[in-house]
């Protein structure tokens, strides 16, 4: 009996094992035939990025406190006291000379020894990761070398101008090399400041303008290359400022002594170098873009100072062409393209100013302002919008404040173009903005256009009726206003420009206000009645037409 139970149990176990085996095989087949389900790539990327983003947010939320001890004692203390030390060395040399403790040769040798000691000590400080202190010491060696060379040449007459110049040029080259080797912008700044001073430290009986200007220009190119290569923004701007400042000082002393063309060529070379650095840079650095924009304005000032009008005009035309070509070449980069458009706009403004007299060519600035506004609205560029507003408002204001003395005159033509430009301005705004903003431009533009149209009509009417009596002038003025209102409404009714409807209604109301507030005392009763009848009838007709349109 017991044996049979055991056998029955074994049969059940074997049957269960067979069932489990069948289930396993069925599950295996089902999984192998079903496609693998993976998260979308975007979802996987987002999931993978979540921890990093969380860490970034937490690191931003917890700001590390400023280590003022490090800032004050490790960064600024050596920078300040290196100058104190150099001044002390100079005074020590002076005292030693006054008391007869040191002759001229010994002072020169000691100066070179001190500078070498500074450079060596600074190098080892940098090796020990004391970067700021080491860079300050290496940087301090450059001015000590230059001051020692200056004393050897100008004070003690131990070296001629050629040797002194070559030595100073060597120190500047060492400064540039140290800037690149130690990756220190401070070294570059010290070397740049010392470099521009080299020609002023050399005494020469026959100074050569070509050598001076050529040296300063080549020096600028060298430091510009270092600044671009190492991405030193301060050195980039400072080197450009130093060249202009140095040439300006030189020009103030030399004057018009056959150096104008050389100065102009140096400034143009600088401008083209800035253009090249901006165009060739892989990333758009704002400091490059705005330095170049400032250089354009400074260059135009130099052109006016050193070249005649014909040469200046040709150079500006060439710059306009270069900027347009630059915009075309940089069209794949949105930022560079927009900046080149800005440079083209500014250069065209300078070109217009150079080409025509302001009184005769101011309308060209109005047209330019409109063109810039269209470009700005197309590419949604705030900087271009500011340029367009500035150019347009200044030029239009100049036209609007110019009185119209004759009906057929240039001021009248300028007024008409300004009025037309306002309509174009409104049209551009409507085309380039969202629908919910259209009414704002329509109403605002209509008000401005209505007011300016009435001012224009008033000035032209006064200019054309100067020989008539006051009553006749008032009647003609009112009639002109009514004609403007009717004409604007008719244009709006034809749907060629819907804004004209608002303009017409606006002028109609202004005409009513004019009649009530100003004309009544000067108009006889009969004519007053006729005017009010005509004005009321026009208002009713316009109202009826509005109902018809609806």
């Amino acid at each position: 009996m017991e044996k049979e139970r055991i056998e029955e149990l074994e049969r059940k176990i074997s049957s269960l094992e067979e069932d489990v085996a069948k289930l396993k095989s069925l599950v295996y087949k089902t999984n192998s035939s079903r496609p693998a389900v993976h998260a979308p790539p975007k979802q996987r990327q987002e999931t993978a990025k979540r921890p990093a983003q969380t860490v970034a947010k937490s690191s931003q939320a917890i700001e590390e406190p400023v280590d003022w001890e490090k800032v004050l004692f490790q960064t600024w203390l050596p920078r300040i006291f290196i100058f104190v030390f150099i001044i002390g060395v100079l005074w020590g040399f002076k005292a030693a000379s006054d008391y007869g403790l040191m002759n001229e040769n010994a002072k020169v040798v000691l100066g070179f020894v001190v500078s070498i000691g500074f450079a060596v000590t600074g190098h080892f400080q940098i090796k020990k990761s004391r970067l700021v202190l080491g860079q300050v010491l290496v940087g301090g060696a450059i001015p000590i070398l230059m001051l020692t060379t200056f004393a050897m040449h100008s004070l003690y007459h131990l070296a001629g101008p050629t040797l002194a110049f070559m030595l100073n040029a060597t120190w500047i080259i060492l400064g540039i090399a140290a800037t690149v080797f130690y990756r220190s912008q401070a070294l570059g700044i010290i070397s740049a400041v010392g470099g521009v001073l080299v020609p002023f430290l050399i005494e020469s009986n026959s100074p050569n303008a070509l050598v001076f200007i050529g040296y300063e220009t080549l020096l600028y190119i060298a430091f510009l290359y270092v600044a671009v290569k190492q991405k030193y923004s301060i050195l980039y701007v400072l080197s450009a400022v130093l060249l202009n400042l140095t040439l300006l000082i030189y020009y103030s002393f030399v004057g018009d002594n056959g150096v104008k063309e050389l100065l102009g060529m140096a400034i143009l070379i600088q401008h083209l170098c800035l253009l090249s650095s901006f165009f060739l840079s892989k990333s758009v650095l704002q400091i490059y873009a705005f330095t170049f924009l400032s250089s354009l304005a400074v260059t135009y000032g130099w052109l006016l100072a050193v070249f005649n009008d014909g040469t200046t005009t040709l150079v500006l035309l060439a710059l306009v062409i270069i900027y347009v070509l630059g915009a075309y070449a940089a069209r794949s980069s949105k930022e560079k393209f927009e900046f080149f458009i800005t440079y083209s706009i500014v250069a065209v403004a300078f070109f217009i100013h150079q080409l025509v007299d302001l009184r005769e060519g101011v309308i060209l600035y109005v047209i330019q302002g409109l063109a810039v506004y269209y470009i700005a609205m197309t590419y949604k560029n705030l900087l271009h919008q500011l340029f367009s507003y500035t150019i347009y408002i200044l030029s239009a204001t100049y036209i609007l404040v110019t009185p119209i003395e004759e009906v057929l005159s240039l001021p009248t033509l300028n007024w008409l173009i300004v009025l037309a430009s306002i309509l174009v301005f409104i049209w551009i705004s409507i085309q380039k903005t969202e629908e919910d903003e259209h009414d704002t431009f329509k109403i605002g533009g209509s008000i401005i256009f209505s007011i300016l149209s009435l001012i224009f009509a008033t000035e032209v009417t006064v200019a054309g009726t100067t020989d008539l009596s006051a009553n006749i002038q008032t009647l003609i003025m009112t009639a002109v206003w009514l004609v403007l209102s009717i004409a604007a409404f008719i244009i709006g009714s034809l749907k060629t420009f819907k804004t004209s409807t608002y303009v017409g209604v606006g002028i109609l109301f202004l005409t009513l206000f004019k009649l009530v507030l100003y004309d009544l005392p000067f108009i006889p009763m009969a004519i007053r009645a006729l005017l009010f009848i005509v004005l009321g009838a026009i208002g009713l007709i316009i109202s009826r037409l509005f109902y018809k349109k609806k």
Side-chain angles (χ1 to χ4, degrees), residues 90-165:
L90 292 176
W91 284 351
F93 284 169
K94 182 68 169 58
S97 179
D98 293 342
Y99 289 104
L101 300 177
M102 192 181 297
N103 60 26
E104 296 172 348
N105 292 325
K107 285 187 283 187
V108 170
V109 172
L110 184 59
F112 286 127
V113 170
V114 170
S115 61
I116 293 172
F118 265 50
V120 173
T121 305
H123 174 75
F124 283 107
Q125 292 298 318
I126 293 174
K127 286 285 188 181
K128 295 179 181 179
S129 299
R130 303 185 185 101
L131 297 180
V132 176
L133 177 60
Q135 291 171 358
V136 166
L137 291 173
V138 174
I142 303 299
I144 293 177
L145 286 170
M146 295 180 62
L147 290 171
T148 303
T149 305
F150 169 72
M152 181 177 65
H153 165 62
S154 298
L155 301 181
Y156 310 142
H157 304 289
L158 299 177
T162 303
L163 177 60
F165 183 83

Side-chain angles (χ1 to χ4, degrees), residues 315-512:
V315 172
L316 287 174
L317 179 60
L319 291 178
V320 171
I321 295 172
I322 290 172
Y323 300 152
V324 172
L325 293 176
Y328 177 78
R331 62 190 183 279
S332 58
S333 172
K334 182 176 181 294
E335 287 184 294
K336 285 186 178 181
F337 175 78
E338 291 178 351
F339 275 115
F340 271 111
I341 291 295
T342 302
Y343 305 145
S344 304
I345 291 165
V346 177
V348 168
F350 291 151
F351 181 72
I352 293 173
H353 180 267
Q354 187 67 24
L355 197 62
V356 297
D357 185 76
L358 180 61
R359 290 172 295 181
E360 299 175 355
V362 67
I363 199 62
L364 296 176
Y365 288 104
V366 173
I367 298 172
Q368 186 195 26
L370 270 182
V372 176
Y373 182 69
Y374 180 82
I375 294 171
M377 296 300 290
T378 300
Y379 295 99
K380 307 299 181 184
N381 187 288
L382 180 59
L383 180 62
H384 292 171
Q385 287 187 43
L386 294 177
F387 269 117
S388 67
Y389 297 151
T390 302
I391 296 171
Y392 183 83
I393 292 174
L394 290 178
S395 55
T397 302
Y398 180 86
I399 290 173
L400 299 180
V401 298
T402 303
I404 299 176
E405 298 178 353
E406 297 180 5
V407 176
L408 299 178
S409 62
L410 181 61
T412 302
L413 177 62
N414 289 341
W415 259 93
L416 290 172
I417 296 176
V418 168
L419 292 174
S421 70
I422 294 174
L423 299 179
V424 176
F425 199 95
I426 298 171
W427 178 82
I428 294 173
S429 302
I430 292 174
Q431 294 296 318
K432 301 297 182 179
T433 55
E434 302 295 333
E435 289 187 6
D436 56 352
E437 298 179 271
H438 291 179
D439 289 340
T440 301
F441 289 110
K442 286 180 181 180
I443 296 172
S446 299
I447 294 172
I448 295 173
F449 185 83
S450 301
I451 295 173
L452 293 181
S453 297
L454 294 177
I455 294 174
F456 170 69
T458 302
E459 289 199 24
V460 171
T461 303
V462 170
T465 59
T466 52
D467 298 332
L468 302 177
S469 63
N471 288 340
I472 301 299
Q473 284 185 345
T474 302
L475 288 174
I476 294 175
M477 190 84 65
T478 303
V480 169
W481 284 30
L482 286 174
V483 169
L484 285 177
S485 176
I486 295 170
F489 187 80
I490 290 173
I491 294 173
S493 299
L494 295 175
K495 296 183 180 181
T496 56
F497 194 72
K498 292 184 179 181
T499 306
S500 296
T501 303
Y502 302 100
V503 172
V505 174
I507 295 176
L508 187 63
F509 275 101
L510 288 174
T511 305
L512 177 61

Side-chain angles (χ1 to χ4, degrees), residues 232-245:
Y232 292 154
S233 57
I234 297 177
L235 182 61
Y236 183 88
V237 177
L238 182 65
S239 58
V241 172
L242 286 175
L243 177 62
N244 282 274
L245 186 60

Side-chain angles (χ1 to χ4, degrees), residues 171-192:
W171 312 145
I172 299 304
I173 293 172
L174 289 176
I176 295 175
T179 301
V180 176
F181 182 77
Y182 294 113
R183 298 182 179 276
S184 172
Q185 184 170 210
L187 285 174
I189 292 172
I190 293 172
S191 302

